[in-house]
Amino acid sequence: MSPSLNSPLPKHPPLAEDLVATLKDHFGSRFSQGESIRMQHGRDESVHEAAPPDAVFFARSTQEVADVVRLCHRQQVPIIPYGVGSSVEGHVLAIHGGITIDLAGMNRILATHNEDLDATVEAGVTRLQLNASLKGSGLFFPIDPGADASLGGMAATRASGTNAVRYGTMRDNVLGMTVVLADGKIIKTGGRARKSSAGYDLTRLLIGSEGTLGIITELTVKLHPIPEAMSAAVCAFPDVEAAVDTVIQTIQLGVPMARIELLDALTISAVNRHSHTTLRELPTLFFEFHGSPAAVSEQAQIVQGIAGGFGGQEFAWATHNEDRSRLWQARHDAYFACLQLKPGCRALPTDVCVPISRLAECIQATNEDISLVSIPIALFGHVGDGNFHLVVLVDPTSAADMHAAEWINERLVERALAMSGTCTGEHGIGIGKTRFMVREHGAEAIAVMRAIKTALDPTNLLNPGKVLPPGTAS
Amino acid sequence: MSPSLNSPLPKHPPLAEDLVATLKDHFGSRFSQGESIRMQHGRDESVHEAAPPDAVFFARSTQEVADVVRLCHRQQVPIIPYGVGSSVEGHVLAIHGGITIDLAGMNRILATHNEDLDATVEAGVTRLQLNASLKGSGLFFPIDPGADASLGGMAATRASGTNAVRYGTMRDNVLGMTVVLADGKIIKTGGRARKSSAGYDLTRLLIGSEGTLGIITELTVKLHPIPEAMSAAVCAFPDVEAAVDTVIQTIQLGVPMARIELLDALTISAVNRHSHTTLRELPTLFFEFHGSPAAVSEQAQIVQGIAGGFGGQEFAWATHNEDRSRLWQARHDAYFACLQLKPGCRALPTDVCVPISRLAECIQATNEDISLVSIPIALFGHVGDGNFHLVVLVDPTSAADMHAAEWINERLVERALAMSGTCTGEHGIGIGKTRFMVREHGAEAIAVMRAIKTALDPTNLLNPGKVLPPGTAS
């Protein structure tokens, strides 16, 4: 085991002058030590304290990434890959200094194979950019974490979102990747075949590794045919339990929902204010149905029947594309809407995921905790997967707020783990959740992860301090 | 890098007397050095020369596996996990001697969570056993490689089969596992949450690792609701291209097929003889549709329309359960039916998978190769995934047959790789395909796999000689 994983790196090793000179010489203004650029790359959407890198490199190609990594490797400089900075657990913070590689300029769509339902893109391509480029093809890329994240970043955090219940997560939707290793070597993983049993699944190992095992520079993703019919609806319920019971029964019946999202009353109230909607301020499910017109209508009928049985009100439908878009925009803005509940606050988003049979119980117990603290906490999420978020609104300068938020999160994670769930359904570990890793996986499994990290990045240069807890050797 | 991966282990190191004494003492007849038991465990369904282990241990629990692995680790004895022996690339052959751990006795279904659509089983539980236990629950486990394989073995080879086009492969259907490592430590990977972003995906790393990184002793698999309606049909086509074009268009339209299988004319003729069916001896597609009665009927109508456009004949339907079962039994027996085409022969099954747009071209070029050799070769497979098999029938004592088979397979793999495909869609690497690994993944990616192997099993005790090519250090 490398000692470097166990003894923190020096916080801000100054970059060697010759390295800086070489990079400036090669890349001109695409290598920057400017204060504002460094600061901008030293934070994400999380409450974690900013930690700017020593410099930022704006990459344009896999070969450039490899070249810079090789130089950094030679001088043992940490490297942090950066997409659009929409992560929420401090993934991109340069807590040990080093050079951030900004991949946003690698935004070419390299190939689209409509007949094979796949596309190969550079890591900086965002999901909306990819979908815009697919206009007219009859295909779309479904994974939708809300933010217009880069596909490389989404792969690195194993992102998902509102329609994972039908289309899966990034784990399920990446066929292959190009990856730069810690020493600057370039590998290709996977390919374009729909399935393969040819050796270790490096693609899946790298998905969710948050830049700690390699830097994803290109990826081939699955595309899906745009369904002939798509219809969305909202339905208010007397209480959260009734809404959750509706979800559970829908999933258990195998209704192929495209989306099934819960927003609690506080979230709905925030959404109404932010998005000028007039939804009833009750726990509410947002549904989306995909399929042929007949299949959509049949699914809708089944789900309406289930919802009615649990006291759900009439479905309010959005069948036109613009109405659907408006509805989902409101859903996606829920996070920002909630932020406005407490002016000047920041949000600590939680992210547990539990087996669906435990979901009602988990939410109920969590609501009891929420009733014991005085900070506003909204609840919403991807309940079809058993995944939900709290948006815990804190004044980051208030020790009492931070303590309450911490208490809620700790209790929630413990509860989810006790229910065979996970501390993070889709946000990732970053620096925010490393302390839960041993609790979730056990010390021996963490030792295996650490052994893999050491095998691939023996001196801990790639995004150090993320994913794995600091701690004992394996 | 460990030198042990690069210099072959001695072929048959004799087991130390004290180890044998300890194991006999602890496990009685469940530890056997008997000739017939060793021989039985030294072969699989492949043409590879048998290589019996020095002894076989019949395990009953994860703890027993861990105990035996720890003893073997102490004395550096190779360990080969064994399910039912249905692998086809020499996965279970004890080519470096050692102790085979037979997991068939670990056949308890530990928990079924109907409401969460999952079940936790010991590794020796077979897919038919699991499905039998689910009777009356409304749920089923879909992955169906034909053979009644053990679920542990299916996970280890990343198996799939006829309905992967809808339900995915083992990669997609395992939520978590219990695994014994090379030193006898026990880890749990994953959990029961439907999705997680908590660290490296050890579950996916172990799936497809063929016992070389750890021994899977328990696993939690996804279950699926039995569709309200299931209907199967066969349709004969004037030629293979017409059949394949039908498949391509069906997949591109997003029709959610449960199964879509191609059998060429020679295979149909073998099936007719073996299963006493009266199918027209033409290239034929076997379809299965799952869904509500309305959805099934709608899908069937679409596909009939597509097939008709390519010269497909009338669909022959099997809607009753018994008829459907008979049809799929005939499909599953195709391999054995083909074996009877050449009495006394053995079969070399190929397993490439290509992007679906290249499938017709790949099959056509392959058929041209087939026309150049004089051995019988049948073609069938899971064309909805772009995956098809040749059953190359050889007299294993004939150098000419073996040479021809080798030539066909080499050409086919080269062709698939040139089309961004894979040398194995579902069978795995075993010993039979290690020579294609560098060609498929590149030397640098293989070096990464080797580094992971070395990190987890530094002295190469777990199923040595499988998956990774012998060769240069990374």
Side-chain angles (χ1 to χ4, degrees):
Chain A
M1 225 55 353
S2 157
S4 59
L5 280 172
N6 309 314
S7 46
L9 294 172
K11 193 153 186 189
H12 280 274
L15 295 181
E17 279 173 31
D18 61 335
L19 177 63
V20 170
T22 305
L23 290 169
K24 277 189 172 158
D25 192 44
H26 269 71
F27 300 111
S29 64
R30 290 202 285 119
F31 175 79
S32 170
Q33 293 178 289
E35 178 76 5
S36 72
I37 284 178
R38 287 175 46 240
M39 288 309 292
Q40 178 199 329
H41 287 81
R43 59 165 54 97
D44 61 7
E45 294 288 338
S46 72
V47 294
H48 300 292
E49 199 187 335
D54 296 304
V56 177
F57 167 60
F58 295 89
R60 292 273 171 81
S61 71
T62 296
Q63 191 56 54
E64 282 188 358
V65 173
D67 291 343
V68 171
V69 169
R70 203 177 315 106
L71 288 170
C72 287
H73 181 256
R74 201 173 296 156
Q75 305 218 9
Q76 294 289 293
V77 173
I79 302 141
I80 304 98
Y82 186 99
V84 305
S86 57
S87 57
V88 292
E89 288 296 349
H91 299 76
V92 298
L93 275 50
I95 54 174
H96 296 295
I99 294 178
T100 289
I101 299 187
D102 184 318
L103 298 150
M106 288 184 62
N107 60 359
R108 286 174 301 176
I109 292 163
L110 301 171
T112 309
H113 302 101
N114 291 354
E115 63 288 17
D116 292 317
L117 312 175
D118 71 51
T120 300
V121 301
E122 288 184 325
V125 169
T126 71
R127 63 177 187 87
L128 291 180
Q129 183 194 346
L130 176 58
N131 275 318
S133 84
L134 293 171
K135 214 156 198 164
S137 71
L139 301 175
F140 77 121
F141 176 72
I143 314 293
D144 177 1
D148 187 22
S150 68
L151 294 173
M154 288 169 63
T157 50
R158 205 182 294 131
S160 47
T162 51
N163 50 25
V165 64
R166 175 157 182 151
Y167 296 98
T169 73
M170 286 303 279
R171 189 193 83 189
D172 310 298
N173 282 279
V174 178
L175 292 169
M177 306 197 294
T178 302
V179 177
V180 174
L181 301 175
D183 59 2
K185 288 196 184 114
I186 299 167
I187 63 167
K188 301 236 179 206
T189 74
R192 290 185 50 240
R194 285 273 143 172
K195 62 183 195 183
S196 170
S197 286
Y200 306 158
D201 191 345
L202 298 183
T203 305
R204 248 48 59 182
L205 177 65
L206 284 151
I207 290 173
S209 68
E210 303 183 8
T212 64
L213 299 179
I215 301 176
I216 301 164
T217 58
E218 296 177 13
L219 55 169
T220 299
V221 296
K222 289 187 196 173
L223 306 175
H224 297 260
I226 295 176
E228 210 187 329
M230 289 189 271
S231 207
V234 296
C235 177
F237 288 83
D239 51 45
V240 165
E241 284 66 37
V244 171
D245 285 338
T246 298
V247 173
I248 294 173
Q249 197 164 323
T250 300
I251 297 298
Q252 285 170 0
L253 277 175
V255 182
M257 300 302 302
R259 288 167 156 149
I260 183 164
E261 299 275 310
L262 170 69
L263 290 78
D264 76 353
L266 181 60
T267 307
I268 293 288
S269 132
V271 164
N272 278 342
R273 274 191 261 175
H274 180 269
S275 301
H276 310 293
T277 44
T278 54
L279 298 161
R280 296 191 58 170
E281 298 189 357
L282 287 171
T284 300
L285 291 178
F286 282 37
F287 299 99
E288 191 161 274
F289 304 91
H290 288 182
S292 67
V296 161
S297 134
E298 188 177 40
Q299 291 166 31
Q301 208 175 335
I302 295 170
V303 177
Q304 277 179 298
I306 298 171
F310 288 109
Q313 303 181 344
E314 280 291 288
F315 274 36
W317 287 97
T319 38
H320 291 297
N321 264 347
E322 310 79 61
D323 298 341
R324 267 199 323 114
S325 297
R326 212 166 12 243
L327 186 68
W328 289 109
Q329 192 57 51
R331 164 64 190 87
H332 282 330
D333 289 343
Y335 176 80
F336 301 103
C338 290
L339 280 178
Q340 294 170 359
L341 289 171
K342 181 168 171 169
C345 73
R346 296 213 64 173
L348 188 147
T350 71
D351 182 35
V352 300
C353 183
V354 297
I356 200 158
S357 69
R358 309 300 297 273
L359 184 60
E361 183 188 350
C362 186
I363 290 180
Q364 193 168 17
T366 302
N367 277 332
E368 284 163 23
D369 281 355
I370 290 175
S371 71
L372 298 177
V373 299
S374 58
I375 47 179
I377 300 179
L379 184 156
F380 57 83
H382 321 305
V383 284
D385 299 313
N387 181 211
F388 67 93
H389 308 299
L390 302 181
V391 174
V392 184
L393 298 171
V394 293
D395 168 358
T397 66
S398 155
D401 275 19
M402 293 305 284
H403 181 80
E406 198 57 37
W407 181 79
I408 288 279
N409 193 25
E410 282 278 335
R411 297 257 303 171
L412 178 56
V413 168
E414 282 299 336
R415 183 175 302 125
L417 296 182
M419 292 176 169
S420 307
T422 178
C423 70
T424 173
E426 55 181 17
H427 290 170
I429 296 296
I431 57 173
K433 288 190 168 150
T434 56
R435 70 185 185 285
F436 301 129
M437 285 290 277
V438 170
R439 272 186 264 176
E440 177 159 341
H441 298 287
E444 299 296 359
I446 296 302
V448 170
M449 293 188 200
R450 205 183 292 284
I452 291 167
K453 167 72 172 170
T454 303
L456 268 58
D457 179 20
T459 54
N460 195 15
L461 295 178
L462 292 176
N463 211 3
K466 315 301 162 59
V467 182
L468 291 171
T472 56
S474 66
Chain B
M1 226 53 354
S2 157
S4 59
L5 280 171
N6 309 314
S7 47
L9 294 172
K11 192 152 186 188
H12 280 273
L15 294 181
E17 278 175 30
D18 60 335
L19 176 65
V20 169
T22 304
L23 290 169
K24 277 190 171 156
D25 192 43
H26 269 71
F27 300 111
S29 64
R30 291 201 286 120
F31 176 79
S32 170
Q33 294 179 289
E35 177 76 5
S36 72
I37 283 177
R38 287 174 46 239
M39 288 308 293
Q40 180 199 327
H41 287 80
R43 59 164 55 98
D44 61 6
E45 293 288 338
S46 72
V47 293
H48 299 292
E49 200 187 336
D54 296 305
V56 177
F57 168 59
F58 295 88
R60 293 272 173 79
S61 71
T62 296
Q63 192 55 56
E64 282 188 359
V65 173
D67 291 343
V68 170
V69 170
R70 204 177 313 108
L71 288 170
C72 287
H73 181 256
R74 200 173 297 158
Q75 306 219 8
Q76 295 288 292
V77 173
I79 302 142
I80 304 100
Y82 186 99
V84 306
S86 57
S87 56
V88 292
E89 287 296 349
H91 299 77
V92 298
L93 274 50
I95 53 173
H96 296 296
I99 294 178
T100 288
I101 299 188
D102 184 319
L103 298 150
M106 289 185 62
N107 60 359
R108 287 175 299 175
I109 291 162
L110 301 172
T112 310
H113 301 101
N114 291 355
E115 64 286 20
D116 293 316
L117 311 174
D118 72 50
T120 301
V121 302
E122 290 184 325
V125 168
T126 70
R127 63 177 187 89
L128 291 180
Q129 183 195 345
L130 175 58
N131 276 317
S133 84
L134 292 171
K135 215 160 195 158
S137 70
L139 301 175
F140 77 121
F141 175 73
I143 315 294
D144 177 1
D148 187 21
S150 68
L151 294 173
M154 286 168 64
T157 50
R158 205 182 295 133
S160 47
T162 51
N163 50 27
V165 64
R166 177 160 182 149
Y167 296 98
T169 73
M170 286 303 278
R171 190 193 80 187
D172 310 298
N173 282 279
V174 177
L175 293 169
M177 308 198 291
T178 302
V179 176
V180 174
L181 301 175
D183 59 3
K185 289 198 184 111
I186 299 167
I187 63 167
K188 301 236 179 206
T189 74
R192 289 184 51 240
R194 283 276 143 170
K195 63 183 195 183
S196 171
S197 286
Y200 306 158
D201 191 344
L202 299 183
T203 305
R204 247 50 57 184
L205 178 63
L206 284 151
I207 290 173
S209 68
E210 305 183 8
T212 64
L213 299 179
I215 301 176
I216 300 164
T217 58
E218 295 176 14
L219 56 169
T220 299
V221 295
K222 288 188 195 172
L223 306 175
H224 297 259
I226 296 176
E228 210 186 330
M230 290 189 270
S231 207
V234 296
C235 176
F237 288 83
D239 51 46
V240 165
E241 285 65 37
V244 170
D245 285 338
T246 298
V247 173
I248 293 174
Q249 197 164 324
T250 301
I251 296 298
Q252 285 171 0
L253 277 175
V255 182
M257 301 302 302
R259 287 167 157 148
I260 184 163
E261 300 275 309
L262 170 69
L263 291 79
D264 76 353
L266 181 59
T267 307
I268 292 288
S269 134
V271 164
N272 277 343
R273 274 190 260 176
H274 179 269
S275 301
H276 309 294
T277 45
T278 54
L279 298 161
R280 297 191 58 169
E281 299 189 357
L282 286 170
T284 301
L285 290 178
F286 282 37
F287 298 100
E288 191 161 273
F289 304 91
H290 288 182
S292 68
V296 161
S297 134
E298 188 178 40
Q299 291 166 31
Q301 210 176 334
I302 295 170
V303 178
Q304 276 179 300
I306 298 170
F310 289 108
Q313 303 183 345
E314 279 291 287
F315 273 35
W317 287 97
T319 38
H320 292 296
N321 265 347
E322 311 79 61
D323 297 341
R324 266 200 323 115
S325 298
R326 208 162 20 239
L327 186 67
W328 290 109
Q329 193 57 52
R331 163 63 189 86
H332 283 329
D333 289 345
Y335 176 80
F336 301 103
C338 289
L339 280 178
Q340 293 170 0
L341 289 170
K342 179 167 172 170
C345 74
R346 295 213 64 172
L348 188 148
T350 73
D351 182 34
V352 299
C353 183
V354 297
I356 201 158
S357 69
R358 312 299 296 273
L359 184 59
E361 183 188 351
C362 185
I363 289 180
Q364 192 168 18
T366 302
N367 276 331
E368 283 163 23
D369 282 355
I370 290 174
S371 72
L372 299 176
V373 298
S374 59
I375 47 179
I377 300 179
L379 184 156
F380 55 84
H382 321 305
V383 283
D385 300 311
N387 181 210
F388 69 92
H389 307 298
L390 302 180
V391 175
V392 184
L393 297 170
V394 293
D395 168 359
T397 65
S398 155
D401 276 18
M402 293 305 284
H403 180 80
E406 197 59 37
W407 181 78
I408 288 281
N409 193 26
E410 282 278 335
R411 296 258 303 172
L412 178 55
V413 168
E414 281 300 336
R415 183 175 301 127
L417 296 183
M419 293 176 169
S420 307
T422 177
C423 70
T424 172
E426 55 181 15
H427 291 170
I429 297 297
I431 56 173
K433 286 187 169 152
T434 56
R435 73 183 183 284
F436 301 128
M437 285 289 277
V438 169
R439 270 185 268 177
E440 177 159 342
H441 299 286
E444 299 296 359
I446 295 302
V448 170
M449 294 189 199
R450 205 183 292 283
I452 291 167
K453 167 71 171 172
T454 302
L456 268 59
D457 179 20
T459 54
N460 196 15
L461 295 178
L462 292 177
N463 211 5
K466 315 300 162 60
V467 181
L468 290 171
T472 56
S474 67

